[in-house]
Amino acid sequence: MMTAQELETAARYDITVIAVIFNNSLYGSIRMHSGDALSGKSVGTELSLGDFAKMGESLGVHAVRVQYK
């Protein structure tokens, strides 16, 4: 979620980039640091499940969703 603009830029300039996204449904590093600052509490770090392949396609990149069960 923090690097979507780089994918759009790569698509716009026709730059080949391979990106792998692991969706753990949260901003992990922000959660860790906010937990340190807020005595173990975190605010605004959980993400709902989104379709990142569709998001990539909307930015103009080829995207594939791989699911492990």
Side-chain angles (χ1 to χ4, degrees):
M1 295 295 288
M2 294 184 186
T3 59
Q5 65 276 9
E6 283 90 348
L7 291 176
E8 187 280 329
T9 301
R12 187 169 7 117
Y13 289 103
D14 198 26
I15 299 169
T16 300
V17 175
I18 297 173
V20 178
I21 298 171
F22 295 93
N23 182 4
N24 64 356
S25 300
L26 57 90
Y27 288 120
S29 61
I30 294 174
R31 183 178 204 140
M32 178 186 68
H33 293 297
S34 68
D36 291 344
L38 301 173
S39 302
K41 297 178 184 176
S42 63
V43 178
T45 57
E46 293 182 18
L47 302 172
S48 62
L49 295 175
D51 191 330
F52 291 103
K54 286 183 182 177
M55 186 171 102
E57 290 172 356
S58 75
L59 296 170
V61 301
H62 172 73
V64 177
R65 182 179 181 164
V66 177
Q67 209 167 343
Y68 176 77
K69 291 186 179 190

